[in-house]
Amino acid sequence: RRISLQEASFHPDAGTLQQVTASLRESIHPHLLVFGTPLLYSVYGPVFMYLFHGVAWLLCLAVDYSAFALTPPESADWTRIAGRTVSALAGSITLWLTYRLGALAYHRRVGVLAMGLLGATALHIQSSHFSTVDVLMTLWTTWSLLPMMRLATTGRQRDYLAAAVLMALAAATKLNALVILLPYLLAHLARIRSAGLKLADPRTHLPALFGLAAFVLAFALLVPSSWLRPADYFGPEYHGNVFYSA
């Protein structure tokens, strides 16, 4: 019997994410059927699902298949390939961003070395083949470090805002990315030190506070379930809630 990529898949989250992404055709709230009951799914944020859904739709323009259908096997295969395409592209872009970080912080040779080391890392290679969220989260967090490095030296408001939006994309992909708020704070403190600003002056912290406000707003727009259905989002009746992921 011919089996689909989904049946032969070796990542435990790929099948679930495919089902949850399919639910976006019915509602802006991604959900999963648990014992026949639709429950809001918040283990992972919806950003990967948005991109997965978009790539699957674009692929339908070139290939004759039914996106997110489990049968025939060809439809299941192409759907899984669409999700893996998102991860493969995210992993490739992350390599370039790693080069940019190394070049900006030190020298282009350092950037090439950093990119090469990441490209040879088994976990990055493996995760870039899976239809799941980890590499996409890494993309956003790596990208957010670029404006953080700039704001540490220039203090421009646009760098604070760029970092905020990228941090929101990361957290709306997987909540573990909230740890990126720490380097955001450290970059702000580095800016205060390099510019000789007064730590006790409230005006010194206005750019960072505007950035945090932009982060909250962007996260709310990306994850409408977090404020439209907060009880379901933060405490559904099964283990698949946002805290399970974190």
Side-chain angles (χ1 to χ4, degrees):
R1 183 175 69 91
R2 185 192 184 285
I3 62 173
S4 67
L5 285 173
Q6 175 168 317
E7 292 176 281
S9 177
F10 47 88
H11 195 286
D13 295 332
T16 300
L17 277 168
Q18 185 165 319
Q19 296 176 54
V20 174
T21 302
S23 75
L24 292 175
R25 293 178 295 183
E26 306 167 7
S27 170
I28 62 170
H29 306 292
H31 58 274
L32 186 68
L33 286 176
V34 179
F35 301 116
T37 303
L39 296 178
L40 193 146
Y41 184 84
S42 59
V43 174
Y44 299 134
V47 171
F48 176 84
M49 303 170 205
Y50 298 152
L51 294 175
F52 187 1
H53 201 284
V55 171
W57 178 80
L58 287 173
L59 197 56
C60 282
L61 301 179
V63 180
D64 184 18
Y65 81 104
S66 299
F68 301 101
L70 299 180
T71 56
E74 289 77 13
S75 290
D77 285 351
W78 283 110
T79 301
R80 183 57 56 86
I81 288 170
R84 290 186 174 188
T85 299
V86 175
S87 292
L89 289 173
S92 300
I93 297 171
T94 303
L95 290 173
W96 179 79
L97 291 170
T98 302
Y99 162 76
R100 291 285 298 125
L101 278 173
L104 183 62
Y106 298 100
H107 190 275
R108 275 187 282 185
R109 285 177 295 182
V110 176
V112 171
L113 176 61
M115 180 177 64
L117 290 173
L118 178 62
T121 302
L123 183 61
H124 185 74
I125 297 170
Q126 185 185 54
S127 297
S128 296
H129 285 75
F130 290 147
S131 178
T132 189
V133 302
D134 300 290
V135 170
L136 186 64
M137 179 192 69
T138 304
L139 165 67
W140 303 128
T141 53
T142 305
W143 196 348
S144 72
L145 293 174
L146 284 170
M148 287 184 205
M149 291 182 67
R150 290 194 296 266
L151 75 84
T153 55
T154 66
R156 293 179 301 188
Q157 184 65 69
R158 68 181 184 183
D159 290 323
Y160 280 95
L161 293 176
V165 171
L166 290 165
M167 289 190 300
L169 282 164
T173 301
K174 190 175 183 180
L175 198 65
N176 305 55
L178 283 175
V179 297
I180 201 66
L181 288 170
L182 179 58
Y184 177 79
L185 173 61
L186 293 176
H188 174 61
L189 293 175
R191 168 58 184 165
I192 293 173
R193 182 177 180 181
S194 65
L197 301 175
K198 295 180 179 179
L199 187 63
D201 188 349
R203 292 173 296 180
T204 298
H205 306 291
L206 286 178
L209 292 174
F210 283 133
L212 288 175
F215 166 79
V216 172
L217 177 60
F219 183 84
L221 290 173
L222 290 166
V223 193
S225 304
S226 64
W227 56 279
L228 289 175
R229 295 175 57 183
D232 292 334
Y233 185 80
F234 293 105
E237 299 173 7
Y238 75 117
H239 70 271
N241 60 50
V242 70
F243 299 113
Y244 180 79
S245 172

